[in-house]
Amino acid sequence: MRKHLLAAALLASLAGCTSEAPTTPSATTEQAGQSQADAQFAELSKKALDTWMQLSPVSATQIGDHRFDAELDDVSAAGQQKNLEASKALLADLEKIDVSKLGRENQVDAAILRNQLQSDIWSNETLQSWQWDPQVYSGLAGSAIYGLMAREFAPLPERLTSATARIEKIPQIFAAARANLDPARVPKIHAETVGKQNKGILSLVDTFITPNIGQLDAEGQKRLNAAIDGLKAAVAEQQTWLDTTLVPNAKGEFRIGAERYDQKLKFSLNSSLSRAEIGERSRAELARVRKDMYGIAQVVLKDKPGAPEMPAEPTDAQQQAAIEAALELAYADKPARDKVVEDAKAALDHSTAFVREHDLMTLPDAPVDIILMPEFQRGVAVAYCDSPGPLDKNLKTFYAVSPIPEDWNDKQVDSFLREYNSRMIHLLSIHEGTPGHYLEGWHSGKFPSTMRAVLRSGLFAEGWAVYTERMMQEQGYLDNDPLFHLVQLKFYLRTIANAILDQGVHVDNWSREQAMHLMTHDAFQQESEAAGKWIRAQLTSAQLPTYFVGAQEHFDTRKAVEEKQGANFNLKAYHDQILSYGAPPVRFARQLMLDQPIE
């Protein structure tokens, strides 16, 4: 999903992404054609970005273009039609450009732009999430406030004034949801999830807005208080509709089916791997990783009293028992219930120091804060990394961790902390922080193409984060601790299981029991983690495989570069170069790095 848009002030930088050519007469003619094509593409990119900013003010705020901070996206049926027409017009303009005459970087951007526009058109006309997924509306309403208030990109009174205008308009989002959503098409799980999240927007107001009302003058305070009162009434009205109309009448199928899944997967991944290839490779990796984990179990359990039988050629039951017994050694070291965020901060400091000490890649010079995940965003993932928009310079990256719910009993808490044991917290901070998302986002933000920044590849970002988990273990993180290696492999199993699960749920009609068996037995996840992922698999589609497919492409790219460079291969130089391309789909980064045709 596109989260960011850019200001027109930087769009001219797109024109500079051209390739060099020899200055022979024929080459000069060729350069002229290339220069003209690049100029055409720069103009189209400017048009596309400016169109997106105007149509999606909430995303514009997130990217750092603050011209539309007082506005909201039009998610009415008319607004959806306007978006569709804009995408079709931009795609028609793109088809008029001879992309073979573009410089290599612009060839990449043109391919990314085409994929995005085709995806937007297909999503609007065929997938039609705006008619059956209430998350479209609840997510937009929460982001409208959070994007303005979470970062100090402007003086507080200025941001509060913009927030006032948006709060006044948020009831329009709720009204659009009631008008657009067809309960017969809304899956029950989607309706129930949004029903639980709906009031979370008021917690954003309580956290970011109410304590700072005094920053406004008397007239501003009066208007903001009235807006808040209006929002409270609108949230209450929406809650009543959710509880009495949407949830009871939600009859939709959460599985999107093979045909729509394959198309959405193609757009989401922008990868050469098909669903069948992803399934085959993920199942092979599952078997390989479990075999490696068994080998570690044989080492850490050797001579331990009560250790299970561990023959050279184990049965499935013997392999399962040995790995579970070894994991119990790791589960014994876990954070206190109220120390998860604190331990994540310490783990981030440790991983950052390790990268610096071993000179693995260039470290960011921008700040990162570990925060409690905002309430309206809880319920899908345990943690995420939220980087500032490319135009919001020198602002903090947020590494958000969801707290343990206060109403959980001791059994639920213990299950959670066994999953997120102390070594897993290290892996989480590697994945979300350094050298994962936080570091990658900082590097990628330096690439001059604003188009690429807007259409940043989730496949590249998630794949990189998973790649770094293995890379850090291979470099000896935590003093080559075998239990850390075991937990790292378990964390990687989660990535593998994500890809299998997504297909199983949306294409193969898996039951909850089948999904839970994959996660708790095959991938050794705790009940609470697996239960949460089962909900996520119902609420989303074609996103869970990005971790696995992206990681495979990163592993494959590094291997190809190592083979090409041989003894000249330098790990830090490789990392800095692969991160220098602005996070396109990994296959394009590979083509750029190996000087292959852009396909």
Side-chain angles (χ1 to χ4, degrees):
M1 180 172 65
R2 185 169 64 248
K3 295 178 67 176
H4 300 304
L5 299 169
L6 286 182
L10 292 189
L11 298 179
S13 65
L14 284 160
C17 296
T18 59
S19 302
E20 296 183 2
T23 55
T24 62
S26 60
T28 301
T29 303
E30 183 179 334
Q31 274 187 312
Q34 177 178 306
S35 177
Q36 182 179 6
D38 283 321
Q40 287 179 308
F41 184 71
E43 184 63 28
L44 175 58
S45 298
K46 180 182 184 300
K47 180 180 178 181
L49 292 164
D50 202 50
T51 298
W52 288 338
M53 284 185 286
Q54 293 183 55
L55 291 175
S56 184
V58 174
S59 294
T61 297
Q62 292 172 330
I63 205 67
D65 178 354
H66 299 292
R67 293 178 296 161
F68 308 102
D69 282 355
E71 304 301 324
L72 286 181
D73 304 26
D74 180 0
V75 288
S76 68
Q80 302 292 346
Q81 182 63 29
K82 188 175 182 180
N83 275 277
L84 176 61
E85 292 170 356
S87 296
K88 287 184 174 180
L90 290 169
L91 183 60
D93 288 343
L94 178 60
E95 297 300 342
K96 297 174 184 177
I97 298 175
D98 185 351
V99 296
S100 67
K101 294 183 178 180
L102 294 173
R104 284 172 59 78
E105 295 291 358
N106 275 346
Q107 286 182 26
V108 171
D109 282 358
I112 296 170
L113 175 59
R114 178 178 287 103
N115 183 77
Q116 183 63 52
L117 292 171
Q118 291 174 340
S119 175
D120 288 346
I121 293 168
W122 177 82
S123 295
N124 194 304
E125 291 185 324
T126 303
L127 189 63
Q128 299 181 326
S129 298
W130 60 281
Q131 292 187 347
W132 58 264
D133 188 356
Q135 296 175 109
V136 170
Y137 305 94
S138 60
L140 181 66
S143 296
I145 298 175
Y146 183 75
L148 286 174
M149 304 306 299
R151 288 192 175 88
E152 298 176 358
F153 59 81
L156 186 54
E158 182 179 326
R159 289 183 286 130
L160 285 169
T161 300
S162 297
T164 301
R166 281 191 173 173
I167 291 171
E168 290 171 339
K169 297 180 179 76
I170 286 175
Q172 298 173 15
I173 296 177
F174 296 149
R178 296 192 293 271
N180 294 345
L181 292 171
D182 177 3
R185 296 179 63 186
V186 175
K188 179 76 74 175
I189 185 66
H190 291 66
E192 291 175 343
T193 298
V194 171
K196 294 174 183 176
Q197 293 174 336
N198 181 55
K199 294 180 181 178
I201 192 171
L202 296 179
S203 72
L204 283 175
V205 173
D206 292 340
T207 299
F208 292 110
I209 306 293
T210 305
N212 299 304
I213 289 179
Q215 295 283 328
L216 296 173
D217 59 24
E219 186 60 32
Q221 291 183 41
K222 180 180 178 181
R223 181 185 171 193
L224 179 51
N225 278 315
I228 293 173
D229 289 341
L231 178 62
K232 289 179 179 178
V235 168
E237 180 185 10
Q238 186 74 350
Q239 192 68 51
T240 298
W241 177 77
L242 289 167
D243 294 341
T244 63
T245 300
L246 189 62
V247 172
N249 296 293
K251 309 294 184 184
E253 173 57 65
F254 64 82
R255 298 175 176 87
I256 67 173
E259 183 178 351
R260 290 195 298 169
Y261 182 86
D262 286 347
Q263 189 60 66
K264 187 176 182 182
L265 191 72
K266 177 183 175 182
F267 288 134
S268 297
L269 301 184
N270 204 346
S271 168
S272 59
L273 293 177
S274 67
R275 167 166 56 93
E277 290 168 327
I278 294 168
E280 181 179 350
R281 191 160 180 173
S282 58
R283 287 188 290 271
E285 278 288 84
L286 181 69
R288 181 190 67 80
V289 171
R290 283 176 59 93
K291 184 177 179 180
D292 288 351
M293 293 176 75
Y294 182 73
I296 296 173
Q298 288 176 304
V299 173
V300 299
L301 294 173
K302 185 179 180 181
D303 301 327
K304 285 197 176 292
E309 186 179 0
M310 295 179 290
E313 298 295 333
T315 64
D316 177 76
Q318 289 171 328
Q319 183 189 66
Q320 189 76 13
I323 296 173
E324 288 179 349
L327 285 170
E328 286 296 331
L329 301 178
Y331 297 158
D333 185 8
K334 54 183 181 285
R337 175 175 182 151
D338 60 348
K339 298 294 185 183
V340 174
V341 176
E342 185 177 312
D343 284 12
K345 173 68 168 65
L348 179 60
D349 291 342
H350 191 94
S351 63
T352 303
F354 184 87
V355 171
R356 180 181 293 110
E357 179 184 350
H358 290 77
D359 201 24
L360 297 177
M361 61 198 75
T362 300
L363 284 165
D365 59 4
V368 58
D369 265 7
I370 296 183
I371 64 169
L372 287 177
M373 187 181 296
E375 185 176 345
F376 83 100
Q377 292 177 320
R378 297 174 193 173
V380 176
V382 171
Y384 65 78
C385 180
D386 181 13
S387 300
L391 292 186
D392 282 331
K393 301 300 182 183
N394 303 314
L395 296 183
K396 292 179 179 179
T397 291
F398 294 131
Y399 165 17
V401 180
S402 183
I404 297 175
E406 293 181 2
D407 60 351
W408 275 15
N409 58 40
D410 290 344
K411 183 179 179 180
Q412 289 173 303
V413 171
D414 182 67
S415 176
F416 177 88
L417 292 176
R418 282 163 61 83
E419 183 71 21
Y420 291 95
N421 57 78
S422 295
R423 290 175 178 85
M424 187 67 86
I425 293 294
H426 274 278
L427 281 162
L428 201 63
S429 290
I430 287 170
H431 182 104
E432 304 293 350
T434 303
H437 287 313
Y438 158 57
L439 182 142
E440 179 270 317
W442 178 82
H443 275 269
S444 296
K446 293 180 175 298
F447 190 77
S449 166
T450 50
M451 176 63 68
R452 199 170 301 178
V454 170
L455 302 182
R456 184 168 177 258
S457 169
L459 184 83
F460 185 101
E462 297 296 356
W464 168 261
V466 175
Y467 161 84
T468 62
E469 298 161 18
R470 180 189 293 186
M471 184 275 297
M472 291 285 276
Q473 183 278 319
E474 291 174 342
Q475 295 299 311
Y477 189 70
L478 294 188
D479 299 322
N480 290 300
D481 173 21
L483 288 179
F484 175 74
H485 189 190
L486 185 70
V487 173
Q488 179 262 316
L489 289 174
K490 177 189 165 174
F491 204 25
Y492 180 45
L493 274 184
R494 184 188 303 186
T495 294
I496 299 168
N498 281 347
I500 299 172
L501 175 68
D502 205 51
Q503 293 188 18
V505 169
H506 289 285
V507 177
D508 301 324
N509 297 317
W510 275 16
S511 65
R512 185 181 190 276
E513 289 69 29
Q514 287 174 291
M516 293 297 286
H517 179 80
L518 169 72
M519 292 183 283
T520 60
H521 176 274
D522 297 351
F524 302 99
Q525 294 176 27
Q526 295 295 302
E527 181 77 18
S528 61
E529 169 67 21
K533 187 62 63 68
W534 165 246
I535 292 174
R536 180 175 175 179
Q538 296 171 82
L539 292 172
T540 65
S541 55
Q543 192 276 329
L544 286 173
T546 58
Y547 304 87
F548 177 75
V549 177
Q552 299 311 300
E553 294 195 358
H554 273 291
F555 295 144
D556 292 348
T557 299
R558 175 175 159 182
K559 181 179 179 181
V561 174
E562 284 182 304
E563 290 175 349
K564 179 179 180 179
Q565 296 182 353
N568 294 323
F569 179 81
N570 177 274
L571 190 57
K572 179 181 182 180
Y574 169 78
H575 287 154
D576 284 354
Q577 186 175 354
I578 196 72
L579 292 173
S580 73
Y581 296 118
V586 185
R587 65 190 179 101
F588 294 128
R590 176 173 177 162
Q591 291 163 4
L592 290 167
M593 182 172 277
L594 295 175
D595 199 28
Q596 298 171 341
I598 305 301
E599 298 176 350

